[in-house]
Amino acid sequence: MSVSRYFSAAVLGVAMLCTTSALAQNAAPQGFLYGIGIGVNQEIYRGYSNRTIPLPILGYRGERLSVYGPFASYTLVDFGNISFSAKLAPRFAGFDQSDSRVFVGMAKRKNSLDGGFGVQLRQQAWLLEADTVFDLLGNSNGQESKLALSYSYRAGPVVIEPKVGVSYSDNKLVNYYYGVPVEEATADRLAYNAGGAFNYNAGVSFSTPLFFGGMTRLGIEHHWYDSSISNSPLTDRDTGLSAFLSWSTFF
C-alpha cells in the first residue's frame, strides 16, 4: 500500500477543515495553530475500501497568508466583500502497482502540485468561492476549476455550514488518473481514453469552541462523479462519501 493513497484521504480531510465560513472569517484569530483530526474517505478505485486516516494539523493564519499543512493561500487583493488569492495545493491522487490488483502492469501515476488563483465573494452569511488550478509539475499537464456556495449560521455556540459545489477537470487530468492507454490494457482492463469531467458535491460542517479551549469541527460530504470517471475500468463506483473530525487551537 503506497503512502500516497493514505495522503489522498488525509488531504481531503484537511481541505474540508480549512474551508472557512463567512461567519468565522469575520473574527478569525491569527497566528500559528496545531491540532489533531481524523478523516475517512470512500475510495472509488477497484479493490479499495474506506480509509481511516489520522490528520496531524500544523499551520498559520495571518492577515494575507494562510498555511494549513500542505495547503497555502495568499490574498492578493481584498475589497472587503470580494477578494482574490493565489493558491498552492498538493494533488495526492497517484497510484502504483502495489495499491490494488487493478493497477498491476500499469505505470505509476504520480502525485503533483497544483497552483492557481481564486476569488471569494462574501455577502453576509453567504460565501461564493471559485478557483482554477494547474498542474505545476507537468505530470498530468491538466487543470481543474471549482465553484462552491456555502451558507453559515449560528445555533448557540455552534456554527453550521451547508455547502454545495461543482468542479470541472479537463481531459488531461482525468485521463492521467483514470485512463488506460493501449499498452497497459489487458483482458480485464480494457483501453480507455477519459474525457473531461464535471463532478458535484454537497455537505455540511459543524464548528464549535466548546471543547478543550480549541475549535472542534465535524463535517461530511457526498461526491457524485462524472461518467468519464465512473466508466473507467479502474473504478467501480460513481459516488463516494468523505468525513472528518478535528480539533485545533493556536499556540
Side-chain angles (χ1 to χ4, degrees):
M1 185 71 60
S2 74
V3 176
S4 68
R5 299 312 306 166
Y6 284 95
F7 278 152
S8 65
V11 167
L12 176 59
V14 174
M16 294 175 68
L17 165 68
C18 298
T19 300
T20 53
S21 68
L23 287 177
Q25 285 182 338
N26 290 335
Q30 298 182 9
F32 292 93
L33 57 87
Y34 69 95
I36 189 68
I38 188 169
V40 180
N41 188 55
Q42 193 173 36
E43 297 283 354
I44 65 170
Y45 281 121
R46 289 167 55 189
Y48 271 97
S49 58
N50 299 337
R51 303 298 181 192
T52 302
I53 313 298
L55 304 172
I57 300 167
L58 183 64
Y60 171 80
R61 180 190 293 155
E63 184 176 352
R64 290 184 175 272
L65 176 65
S66 294
V67 179
Y68 297 92
F71 293 85
S73 67
Y74 184 83
T75 301
L76 300 171
V77 181
D78 191 342
F79 295 110
N81 66 329
I82 186 171
S83 60
F84 298 86
S85 59
K87 298 187 174 186
L88 283 176
R91 183 177 294 275
F92 292 113
F95 59 78
D96 60 34
Q97 297 188 46
S98 65
D99 287 329
S100 172
R101 290 171 52 189
V102 73
F103 302 134
V104 173
M106 298 187 69
K108 180 178 180 178
R109 301 305 194 263
K110 298 179 180 179
N111 302 318
S112 199
L113 178 67
D114 291 339
F117 300 93
V119 57
Q120 302 80 40
L121 175 62
R122 302 177 186 86
Q123 185 63 40
Q124 297 180 341
W126 291 94
L127 176 62
L128 180 65
E129 302 172 278
D131 61 72
T132 296
V133 295
F134 305 86
D135 178 12
L136 299 180
L137 301 185
N139 293 323
S140 70
N141 290 308
Q143 70 178 73
E144 182 179 36
S145 297
K146 297 180 181 180
L147 182 68
L149 178 66
S150 59
Y151 180 82
S152 298
Y153 62 95
R154 293 186 183 275
V158 179
V159 174
I160 304 172
E161 183 178 14
K163 182 176 183 179
V164 294
V166 58
S167 67
Y168 176 76
S169 300
D170 71 3
N171 64 309
K172 293 181 181 179
L173 179 61
V174 179
N175 199 53
Y176 182 72
Y177 290 111
Y178 297 100
V180 180
V182 174
E183 62 270 20
E184 295 180 342
T186 65
D188 188 48
R189 185 180 63 225
L190 301 179
Y192 183 70
N193 186 35
F198 282 97
N199 303 311
Y200 303 88
N201 61 81
V204 61
S205 64
F206 306 86
S207 305
T208 180
L210 287 178
F211 304 109
F212 311 111
M215 182 64 69
T216 301
R217 293 178 174 88
L218 171 66
I220 186 168
E221 192 166 85
H222 194 280
H223 306 266
W224 293 267
Y225 296 97
D226 193 288
S227 60
S228 180
I229 292 176
S230 62
N231 288 341
S232 167
L234 303 179
T235 65
D236 58 6
R237 300 178 57 89
D238 60 4
T239 65
L241 286 171
S242 60
F244 75 90
L245 174 65
S246 70
W247 175 88
S248 64
T249 189
F250 285 85
F251 284 100

